[in-house]
Amino acid sequence: MHTVTLIPGDGIGPEISEATKRVIEATGVAIKWDIQEAGIDVFEKEGTPLPQRVIDSIKKNKVALKGPITTPVGTGFRSVNVRLRQVLDLYCCLRPCKTFKGTRTRYEDIDLVIIRENTEDLYAGIEFKKGSADAKKIIDLINELTGKIIRPDSGISIKPISVYATERIVRFAFEYSRKNKRKKVTAVHKANIMKYSDGLFLETARNVAKTYPDIEFEDRIVDNMCMQLVQKPELYDVIVLPNLYGDIVSDLAAGIIGGLGLAPGANLGEEYAVFEPVHGSAPKYKGLNKVNPLAMILSGVLMLKYLGEFKAAERLETVVASLIAEGKHVTYDMKPTPDDPTAATTSIVADAIIEKLR
Ligand code: NAD
């Protein structure tokens, strides 16, 4: 019996979490769910969107399955998702992006793995609000040190990139490649412009790559990478990126394989793992029983593998693949047009998968 923390999240989170929970239970793997609410509704009730009990639960159970959680834009609380990754030192965000037969996309046979550094870069949360005393101090110091003029009405976000975190994530990319018989790792950066942050990422990645001579290594500048992924994604295999580029390129890769409804993810550290879809809480679809649960169900497949339940994971993935290939019990986003009257609901997709698992 595994005990797993289940965070349903907010927005569409609870609907897709329920669908995923039912499907995972139908695989026959014995899981005791420790259900922990977090997110925007919890903020209203408990004064924080991420109560300590949620973190304690993950620390106790080591593994969590998580629905998306809303982050207010510009103002309000900071991202629960980013905070969880930092507090639990979930330094790696693993996002496999693979095309399933029957998906409506311009591309075929795509099998990319995006590996995103999860703890630093512009997501470190080191920011100075426009007009604050601290922002003024930082601006004055930078103006003095660099001779460049930062305008006094600027807000500041800091981008730290360390050798420590880069080594760790690039090593993860190579170890993952070895274990999963992948051939090539591509490191992505903007080292031509940000010489001391992205430049350090690239230099460190190159040094780590030297210790893995059995796996090909190359690098790409992030803008070129985006263009290349749109034009010839089949040239790429495992892609390792700092936090911000990783976030953006993950969505791009999700688009290539047919949309956010199909892109799973895992946040991994030395001690803990939190599995969640790439997509967010899509608030406008909340409570409509309409959105695609497959990204979260496929995150559940990653979780089953992590728990060592390989047979169940493989069976569930095969069933999802056959459901997509048949094209009948799929949600609106996988139909020819979004208003297709034959689109299945979230819960019907789960029912159809459970039926196939029987
Ligand atoms: P989003 O991913 O929530 O939704 C963007 C659009 O993608 C939706 O309007 C919808 O058209 C489509 N989409 C997303 N998930 C889908 C699904 N399962 N099935 C079908 N279509 C789907 O992105 P957003 O609108 O930029 O963000 C909404 C909120 O989610 C924000 O507050 C954001 O901060 C948060 N967010 C959370 C996470 C997380 O919890 N890890 C990740 C990304 C965004």
Side-chain angles (χ1 to χ4, degrees):
M1 168 79 86
H2 307 280
T3 306
V4 170
T5 301
L6 177 64
I7 305 169
D10 58 34
I12 56 170
E15 302 153 48
I16 56 172
S17 297
E18 179 59 22
T20 304
K21 175 171 167 282
R22 288 202 290 129
V23 163
I24 290 178
E25 282 167 357
T27 64
V29 174
I31 291 182
K32 185 170 161 248
W33 302 100
D34 179 2
I35 298 178
Q36 295 288 337
E37 302 291 343
I40 205 154
D41 310 323
V42 170
F43 177 67
E44 273 151 34
K45 275 186 262 163
E46 300 184 39
T48 164
L50 182 62
Q52 187 58 35
R53 60 175 165 74
V54 183
I55 295 165
D56 292 344
S57 164
I58 304 173
K59 285 193 169 165
K60 188 166 111 238
N61 300 322
K62 314 273 189 215
V63 179
L65 182 62
K66 175 185 162 297
I69 291 179
T70 305
T71 309
V73 175
T75 57
F77 58 80
R78 285 195 176 274
S79 169
V80 169
N81 313 303
V82 172
R83 182 131 176 266
L84 260 185
R85 292 167 197 160
Q86 286 169 348
V87 170
L88 299 170
D89 199 22
L90 302 169
Y91 69 86
C92 170
C93 186
L94 176 75
R95 292 173 162 177
C97 285
K98 181 164 101 170
T99 37
F100 286 97
K101 282 218 164 11
T103 309
R104 262 160 240 287
T105 160
R106 291 163 201 267
Y107 304 91
E108 275 174 24
D109 299 328
I110 302 304
D111 189 4
L112 295 165
V113 177
I114 309 285
I115 295 179
R116 163 187 172 192
E117 203 290 323
N118 236 353
T119 62
E120 53 180 24
D121 192 359
L122 282 162
Y123 282 64
I126 307 166
E127 298 201 292
F128 300 92
K129 194 174 176 185
K130 176 196 72 114
S132 66
D134 284 350
K136 185 172 179 325
K137 263 194 225 162
I138 293 284
I139 289 172
D140 288 347
L141 181 66
I142 292 173
N143 290 350
E144 185 194 319
L145 288 177
T146 66
K148 293 190 177 169
I149 298 300
I150 296 184
R151 296 185 184 98
D153 59 348
S154 300
I156 309 275
S157 301
I158 303 285
K159 172 177 165 131
I161 301 258
S162 67
V163 173
Y164 174 83
T166 306
E167 263 179 12
R168 182 163 77 157
I169 197 68
V170 176
R171 192 159 284 136
F172 182 98
F174 277 101
E175 289 295 331
Y176 178 92
S177 301
R178 261 193 193 159
K179 208 164 151 206
N180 293 279
K181 305 202 170 21
R182 297 276 177 166
K183 296 198 166 49
K184 183 169 77 173
V185 172
T186 306
V188 177
H189 59 86
K190 188 86 186 171
N192 49 334
I193 304 295
M194 283 159 277
K195 297 188 189 297
Y196 298 146
S197 49
D198 286 25
L200 187 61
F201 181 86
L202 176 58
E203 184 192 327
T204 308
R206 281 184 175 146
N207 287 339
V208 173
K210 283 184 199 144
T211 63
Y212 292 88
D214 49 318
I215 293 162
E216 195 188 331
F217 174 74
E218 64 181 9
D219 71 276
R220 290 280 178 276
I221 293 177
V222 63
D223 36 355
N224 181 28
M225 184 80 244
C226 291
M227 195 275 290
Q228 299 249 340
L229 278 176
V230 169
Q231 276 202 324
K232 33 196 173 183
E234 68 283 356
L235 293 187
Y236 296 93
D237 190 349
V238 172
I239 303 176
V240 62
L241 319 87
N243 211 335
L244 176 64
Y245 309 144
D247 193 9
I248 297 167
V249 172
S250 296
D251 269 39
L252 196 160
I256 287 173
I257 58 150
L260 282 168
L262 283 169
N267 299 291
L268 307 168
E270 298 300 335
E271 277 192 86
Y272 313 111
V274 176
F275 297 84
E276 64 176 340
V278 171
H279 66 71
S281 57
K284 70 177 175 189
Y285 292 108
K286 176 182 173 175
L288 301 181
N289 191 23
K290 185 173 170 162
V291 295
N292 196 344
L294 292 180
M296 187 152 177
I297 290 171
L298 290 168
S299 306
V301 169
L302 296 178
M303 183 186 83
L304 289 173
K305 285 185 190 161
Y306 183 86
L307 292 172
E309 300 285 356
F310 298 105
K311 268 199 182 139
E314 210 170 289
R315 218 170 118 237
L316 179 51
E317 194 168 7
T318 308
V319 162
V320 167
S322 86
L323 183 101
I324 295 171
E326 287 164 19
K328 190 168 168 224
H329 298 299
V330 292
T331 43
Y332 74 97
D333 53 313
M334 299 189 70
K335 293 285 185 181
T337 58
D339 56 357
D340 190 314
T342 68
T345 62
T346 310
S347 48
I348 284 179
V349 173
D351 293 343
I353 294 174
I354 292 166
E355 190 56 40
K356 279 175 176 285
L357 283 168
R358 283 214 173 102

